[in-house]
Each structure stands twice: as C-alpha cells, then as structure tokens.
Amino acid sequence: IPKIPFIDRDLSFIVADKYLVDELTACIMRVNKNLIKDVVLFDEYKGKGINNGYRSLSFNITIGAGTKNLTDENVNNLFDKIIKELKKKFQIEMR
C-alpha cells in the first residue's frame, strides 16, 4: 500500500475522428509529466447524440506527486490545464 496514494479521475469529451487516441494521450501526458502517471482510454462512442465525423472519448487519468498528497485545488488546476491544451490543439468539446 503506497503511503501517498494516486488519484484517478475521468475526462470525457467529443473530438473529431481525424485525431488519433495516441495524439490525445501524448498531449495529456505533456501537460505535466511529473504528476500524470498514466492515461488510459476506457470508452469510445459514436452514434446517437454525436455528430458524424466525431466521437466521444473517455480517459482515466492517474495522478500522483510521489512525495506529497495533492489537494483538490492542485488536481483541479491540472485538469483545467489539460482541458485548455486539448481545446487549443484538438478543438474538443466537453461532455
């Protein structure tokens, strides 16, 4: 059992089909390589409610500092940065 636990949070958004999952994953990791430990796609949806040429993706993101517990504010700020980068580079729409 780790003394300082990791935090898992999910992030779901709509993005154009032209963008690869690997591109999105790499972008998320680059936001903060020290805190973001893992990014895993766990759901992809196309169909009712999603426009043609787009898909809904859901990622599980594991975060941890290793040396200290993170506060909600730390994690929320990190997720704000992740979303900002994804919107800038891939024009995502949050779900």
Side-chain angles (χ1 to χ4, degrees):
I1 300 174
K3 291 183 180 191
I4 301 172
F6 291 110
I7 298 167
D8 284 319
R9 282 219 184 150
D10 296 339
L11 183 65
S12 297
F13 52 86
I14 297 171
V15 67
D17 286 338
K18 66 182 178 179
Y19 299 115
L20 301 174
V21 170
D22 289 345
E23 292 176 293
L24 296 159
T25 301
C27 179
I28 294 169
M29 290 293 293
R30 278 192 304 269
V31 170
N32 190 323
K33 293 178 184 179
N34 294 325
L35 292 181
I36 301 171
K37 304 303 179 191
D38 198 17
V39 179
V40 177
L41 176 71
F42 69 87
D43 188 50
E44 179 176 0
Y45 174 76
K46 286 183 171 186
K48 188 176 180 179
I50 306 294
N51 292 334
N52 285 337
Y54 290 83
R55 60 192 168 166
S56 171
L57 299 177
S58 296
F59 290 89
N60 178 265
I61 302 171
T62 303
I63 304 162
T67 57
K68 65 177 183 171
N69 285 321
L70 297 173
T71 65
D72 283 340
E73 184 178 352
N74 296 137
V75 176
N76 291 338
N77 288 339
L78 179 61
F79 266 74
D80 288 345
K81 288 177 185 175
I82 291 169
I83 292 166
K84 184 178 177 181
E85 276 300 304
L86 291 172
K87 283 183 177 182
K88 184 172 105 179
K89 292 186 178 181
F90 304 103
Q91 299 80 45
I92 67 162
E93 179 184 323
M94 295 303 297
R95 289 206 48 145

